[in-house]
Amino acid sequence: MHLVTIIMNALTATNRNFRHAARLLGLDSRLEKSLLIPFREIKVECTIPKDDGTLVSYVGFRVQHDNSRGPMKGGIRYHPEVDPDEVNALAQLMTWKTAVVDIPYGGAKGGIGCTPKELTKSELERLTRVFTQKIHDLIGVNTDVPAPDMGTNAQTMAWILDEYSKFHGHSPAIVTGKPIDLGGSLGRESATGRGVVFATEALLADHGKSVKDMTFAIQGFGNVGSWASRLIHARGGKIAAVSDVTGAVKNPNGIDIPSLLKHKEKTGSLSNFNGGDSMNADELLGYECDVLIPCALGGVLNRENAREVKAKFIIEAANHPTDPEADEVLSKKGVIILPDIYANAGGVTVSYFEWVQNIQGFMWDEEKVNDELKKYMTKAFHDIKSMCETHECNLRMGAFTLGVDRVARSTILRGWEA
């Protein structure tokens, strides 16, 4: 499926979920409208000299969606298909996501329409610095705190931090996802995958089960999928199938994840792993297992393949992996879906811990970061469950009503809703 189609589906689904939550909560129509409209949309032109001396221009965006609960927070992506609609949908989603895990942020998102692999490191640095110069007076430690996203990384954040600090003095809390040497947090790299596992543990415990009793299939073996696999394996869970863009491997007796990680590191691929049989990557979503964890792209579960799903639980580690039609099919089958808006919030939660550490000028050890993450993820699950009981709805709507309700309450208390 084309990326633009997935993005439009994500935007439509986000708006539909928001409206459904607003109805369940009985929100006033004026308040509902004001919660959807972004606080500010920024569009800037970034012109840089390429290494050969020619000038080239790129368009950069930042959408700041809501700041009723705190500074706005969200990633910056470098991707050729970055556009205002996509950035808008993702900024809105961040508003609800930060509210679900109850961290004091609102939502934002940004990006530059470019192809990072076609730019040299020095060109990327110049582009990042020009973008920062254009938006430095609209972001801030208490205003809007960017983070890495698709096509950006810790190095990108280091350049933003350096450029921003030229205008505002040393400000490590201006971005999260930084290198450890510049005030990044321990535990940040594993945070999203670890959060997925804490969320899974909370859901299974609610059903009287634990990780060690279950078999798992994991789609996507990048940062999130590999960390989730490693942590599930360490807890005694049986991972029966794993796939990524390089291939797929299955072993009904359980894959030895540390060996698979070594194999992938050495060969760059999941293919030809001798601890399991290769399989067609498309078959993974319908593989026989208790828990399916999509950790890769959006829109992977659709009306057709949803019928093939044999898992009893789906943990949405990716953003928007289940399209609305698949949602309906899976609900009818009795599959329990833990929504992305909660399941993958470990990353932004540890970003919040990084920001707190930078403001205090006092760094935590990794054990404290992981313990705090577990507390936040577990509490959020119980908060979602109580909304499910109040509004007699599924976990996706429980999470949306929780997030929207918290933002609506802050908006009313500030007197902004009129």
Side-chain angles (χ1 to χ4, degrees):
M1 194 187 283
H2 198 258
L3 183 62
V4 172
T5 316
I6 292 166
I7 289 159
M8 290 318 293
N9 284 351
L11 181 59
T12 310
T14 301
N15 285 337
R16 186 157 78 196
N17 288 333
F18 167 77
R19 291 205 166 88
H20 189 179
R23 277 199 305 278
L24 286 174
L25 293 163
L27 295 190
D28 172 84
S29 61
R30 283 178 315 170
L31 175 58
E32 183 181 334
K33 194 175 176 188
S34 80
L35 289 179
L36 267 186
I37 297 168
F39 167 77
R40 184 191 281 137
E41 297 187 38
I42 303 153
K43 182 180 177 184
V44 294
E45 186 185 20
C46 303
T47 303
I48 59 158
K50 293 196 77 170
D51 290 350
D52 63 8
T54 58
L55 288 182
V56 60
S57 285
Y58 299 96
V59 178
F61 301 98
R62 186 74 178 164
V63 173
Q64 298 172 330
H65 180 257
D66 189 277
N67 62 353
S68 63
R69 300 182 71 256
M72 293 164 286
K73 182 90 190 85
I76 289 178
R77 52 177 53 184
Y78 289 0
H79 192 276
E81 291 180 30
V82 165
D83 79 345
D85 278 346
E86 175 200 12
V87 176
N88 233 311
L90 294 167
Q92 187 203 136
L93 211 50
M94 283 300 292
T95 297
W96 316 133
K97 186 181 286 192
T98 52
V100 166
V101 281
D102 206 12
I103 53 179
Y105 283 144
K109 205 76 180 185
I112 298 175
C114 67
T115 307
K117 64 175 180 290
E118 290 175 5
L119 296 169
T120 66
K121 189 175 178 183
S122 59
E123 288 166 348
L124 281 171
E125 179 176 351
R126 286 196 288 278
L127 179 58
T128 302
R129 289 183 184 277
V130 168
F131 184 52
T132 308
Q133 288 162 19
K134 297 278 174 124
I135 66 168
H136 78 88
D137 52 349
L138 296 167
I139 60 174
V141 171
N142 297 305
T143 313
D144 177 5
V145 182
D149 202 305
M150 206 188 284
T152 59
N153 55 25
Q155 179 60 71
T156 320
M157 297 305 108
W159 292 329
I160 294 174
L161 162 61
D162 183 64
E163 198 61 32
Y164 181 87
S165 296
K166 290 175 186 173
F167 296 95
H168 301 276
H170 182 58
S171 311
I174 182 56
V175 285
T176 59
K178 300 179 290 297
I180 301 288
D181 291 336
L182 289 178
S185 178
L186 295 170
R188 178 66 190 85
E189 190 206 336
S190 65
T192 308
R194 195 177 295 274
V196 165
V197 175
F198 289 149
T200 305
E201 286 181 318
L203 176 67
L204 293 177
D206 190 56
H207 288 265
K209 296 174 167 32
S210 75
V211 167
K212 68 178 190 321
D213 309 324
M214 311 300 268
T215 55
F216 295 80
I218 295 184
Q219 190 224 18
F221 206 61
N223 173 279
V224 179
S226 63
W227 273 105
S229 302
R230 195 177 308 194
L231 295 163
I232 288 165
H233 183 79
R235 283 160 168 75
K238 186 197 284 183
I239 297 173
V242 173
S243 73
D244 70 2
V245 288
T246 67
V249 59
K250 63 181 176 182
N251 184 339
N253 300 316
I255 296 164
D256 180 350
I257 294 298
S259 300
L260 184 62
L261 285 160
K262 282 197 195 102
H263 174 80
K264 170 119 193 244
E265 205 174 309
K266 203 162 98 185
T267 66
S269 167
L270 294 182
S271 303
N272 305 318
F273 174 62
N274 59 16
D277 301 319
S278 70
M279 65 189 278
N280 186 327
D282 296 341
E283 292 168 23
L284 183 120
L285 297 169
Y287 193 75
E288 187 76 53
C289 64
D290 300 312
V291 185
L292 171 64
I293 310 185
C295 303
L297 295 170
V300 292
L301 284 161
N302 53 44
R303 187 177 51 197
E304 279 74 45
N305 63 18
R307 300 178 204 287
E308 311 299 317
V309 169
K310 296 181 184 67
K312 301 170 193 71
F313 300 95
I314 294 175
I315 314 292
E316 294 188 331
N319 281 320
H320 188 66
T322 315
D323 75 22
E325 290 178 325
D327 231 350
E328 277 178 38
V329 172
L330 293 163
S331 294
K332 282 189 185 129
K333 287 175 68 165
V335 178
I336 292 158
I337 301 174
L338 200 60
D340 54 355
I341 190 179
Y342 160 66
N344 66 27
V348 72
T349 305
V350 175
S351 275
Y352 163 59
F353 299 161
E354 181 178 333
W355 179 76
V356 167
Q357 292 168 75
N358 294 155
I359 288 170
Q360 290 177 331
F362 178 80
M363 303 312 282
W364 303 352
D365 63 30
E366 193 162 350
E367 192 181 351
K368 180 172 169 68
V369 172
N370 295 342
D371 287 349
E372 289 294 321
L373 176 60
K374 182 167 190 174
K375 269 184 227 168
Y376 273 77
M377 293 303 289
T378 308
K379 180 181 182 297
F381 179 78
H382 295 301
D383 292 345
I384 290 167
K385 279 295 292 185
S386 76
M387 288 306 257
C388 292
E389 282 154 23
T390 303
H391 297 290
E392 297 178 346
C393 59
N394 65 16
L395 288 164
R396 192 181 305 285
M397 267 307 113
F400 264 88
T401 51
L402 177 64
V404 172
D405 185 50
R406 283 178 171 156
V407 177
R409 285 205 312 243
S410 301
T411 304
I412 292 163
L413 287 166
R414 283 175 176 265
W416 291 354
E417 82 284 5

